[in-house]
Amino acid sequence: MAERPPLRIGLIGTGFMGRAHVFGFAAAAKAFALPYRIELHTVADVSEAAARAAAAQLGFRHATTDWRAMVSDPEIDLVDITAPNALHREMALAAIAAGKHVYCEKPLAPLAAEAREMAEAAAARGVVTQVGFNYLCNPLVNLARQMIADGELGTITTYRGVHAEDYMADPAGPFTFRHDPAGGGAFADIGSHALATAEALLGPITRLMGDCVTVIGTRKDASGAERPVKVDDVGRAFLRFASGASGSIEANWIATGRKMQHDFEVYGTRGALCFSQERFNELHFYSTADAAGRRGFRRIEAGPEHAPYGAFCPAPGHQLGFNELKAIEVAGYLDAIAGKCAEPFGFAAGHRVQTLVECVHASARDGAWVDVPGH
Ligand code: NAD
């Protein structure tokens, strides 16, 4: 086999997602025949100690506190942004201007206009982009999409989606970047995942009616100062799809006891699907084709028939984990960089999700249904 070209990574941020991306790169390199040899080149963080510690533990050759110098380094091919949301735009635009491919965590930017600017800049510069909507990389979510597209459920009538966790349930928890009045809140943070999944399964949302609620009105910031919280802790939206189906979504980051309820239910005239991310190696399928008296939801367990599960494990039921979704995300992205496929979820798709989030906020503010731009 010919020697593969290197793809030199510059990572910004070494927190939850920074580490998850490195695990994703590492597992992807073992599980898939990637078109590139991944080189962990430089890692950037605000503190030198954090950057150095991450470089040593995660295997980067260099550590820096200067992300600007890193993104213009000619030795870097791909800039990977896992910093807080408000920094995504500036970092991505700088990387795009330097001709780098850009992998950026969701939400792509606090505002849809910024996300659009980023998508347009990437298209104009001809670089390949990816946004971290990792739940779409689950082989069983893809199976659900395929079953819906193939008509196994008949005509889809209704959709229910939710993304609920409890990481903001404690009122004594600090004011973080996720509470930033420009683009923060539960719907931007996790409702974005729910919206991406809803459209991946049922196609475009054309109209929606939102309702957003702030439950915990103040939080202390890092300096101990009390800060007002203006963003939503809970958001809901009624949805109308271009297909004619209707549905609803809830985003809730104060859902006590919930750790990862990225769930959906899809109902059709001939069947139904139920899925929970807390048991994401299972998909539940009900079919009206089953004999009367034998009907019920059957549990489909993930296995090698559900590609690319078999790249990680030959045995069904042994289960994939969160970081393996990141590895699948990385593999699809690298194939797109190599020109083997279209961007799986590039900046244009990230802009679309941000547009939907803004529609939910606008509808909640105005107390009225809104038409989603672009449809
Ligand atoms: P985090 O706080 O754990 O990590 C953020 C990192 O960015 C920290 O290491 C911080 O020091 C660093 N950072 C901040 N400012 C910086 C700067 N100027 N230069 C360099 N580094 C800087 O946060 P997180 O939970 O990893 O979230 C980061 C991003 O990932 C957010 O956009 C978030 O929405 C997204 N996220 C996505 C998922 C997912 O499932 N796809 C899950 C969690 C978070």
Side-chain angles (χ1 to χ4, degrees):
M1 184 178 161
E3 177 72 2
R4 291 166 303 162
L7 190 75
R8 295 159 301 185
I9 312 295
L11 172 69
I12 309 177
T14 63
F16 175 18
M17 273 306 108
R19 292 170 60 83
H21 282 220
V22 174
F23 300 147
F25 282 119
K30 304 292 182 197
F32 299 99
L34 297 181
Y36 298 99
R37 186 165 37 81
I38 290 169
E39 287 184 16
L40 300 180
H41 189 285
T42 301
V43 59
D45 210 317
V46 269
S47 94
E48 190 164 339
R52 281 188 187 283
Q57 189 180 357
L58 300 173
F60 285 84
R61 272 192 273 142
H62 308 285
T64 183
T65 54
D66 187 352
W67 66 262
R68 286 183 181 80
M70 190 191 81
V71 302
S72 55
D73 183 340
E75 289 196 1
I76 302 280
D77 302 305
L78 185 155
V79 172
D80 185 2
I81 302 169
T82 67
N85 308 348
L87 300 170
H88 292 179
R89 174 184 168 274
E90 186 187 3
M91 291 171 169
L93 289 179
I96 291 165
K100 315 297 184 186
H101 302 299
V102 186
Y103 183 11
C104 183
E105 264 309 327
K106 47 56 57 182
L108 183 54
L111 302 174
E114 295 172 340
R116 177 190 208 129
E117 182 187 6
M118 293 158 75
E120 288 177 351
R125 193 68 170 78
V127 298
V128 183
T129 55
Q130 174 75 33
V131 190
F133 282 100
N134 27 267
Y135 303 114
L136 301 178
C137 298
N138 182 349
L140 289 187
V141 173
N142 276 319
L143 176 64
R145 175 166 34 194
Q146 200 57 53
M147 291 171 77
I148 292 166
D150 290 348
E152 285 189 57
L153 278 62
T155 301
I156 305 303
T157 57
T158 36
Y159 183 86
R160 284 193 207 151
V162 59
H163 192 127
E165 302 188 35
D166 67 359
Y167 57 96
M168 295 293 183
D170 181 358
F175 189 101
T176 72
F177 72 81
R178 291 180 166 87
H179 299 101
D180 191 329
F187 228 101
D189 198 36
I190 51 179
S192 52
H193 281 300
L195 288 164
T197 297
E199 285 209 328
L201 293 172
L202 263 66
I205 296 164
T206 51
R207 303 187 70 216
L208 60 81
M209 169 82 194
D211 182 34
C212 292
V213 184
T214 306
V215 177
I216 300 168
T218 60
R219 289 182 186 270
K220 286 194 168 61
D221 66 18
S223 71
E226 200 79 36
R227 298 268 301 267
V229 174
K230 305 279 189 208
V231 299
D232 49 303
D233 291 310
V234 185
R236 298 184 185 82
F238 292 121
L239 309 173
R240 295 297 181 96
F241 294 87
S243 67
S246 65
S248 64
I249 280 185
E250 177 178 317
N252 187 341
W253 65 19
I254 55 164
T256 305
R258 287 295 177 191
K259 307 303 174 190
M260 181 30 75
Q261 194 191 17
H262 178 85
D263 296 7
F264 60 79
E265 297 181 354
V266 184
Y267 299 100
T269 51
R270 292 199 285 117
L273 290 171
C274 292
F275 170 86
S276 175
Q277 182 67 26
E278 290 182 351
R279 293 278 180 277
F280 82 72
N281 287 272
E282 300 172 3
L283 180 65
H284 296 256
F285 173 46
Y286 180 99
S287 173
T288 60
D290 292 345
R294 297 288 185 277
R295 288 182 192 155
F297 279 93
R298 73 186 70 145
R299 183 166 56 108
I300 301 169
E301 280 191 278
E305 298 83 6
H306 310 115
Y309 178 105
F312 299 95
C313 178
H318 285 51
Q319 307 196 356
L320 302 185
F322 176 83
N323 291 325
E324 281 152 353
L325 301 186
K326 277 294 181 203
I328 296 168
E329 184 171 277
V330 163
Y333 180 34
L334 265 55
D335 278 349
I337 293 173
K340 292 180 164 183
C341 63
E343 288 173 343
F345 207 96
F347 279 12
H351 166 238
R352 166 71 184 170
V353 173
Q354 209 52 31
T355 301
L356 290 164
V357 170
E358 275 190 13
C359 285
V360 173
H361 288 153
S363 167
R365 195 176 53 241
D366 299 344
W369 282 85
V370 299
D371 292 326
V372 177
H375 285 283

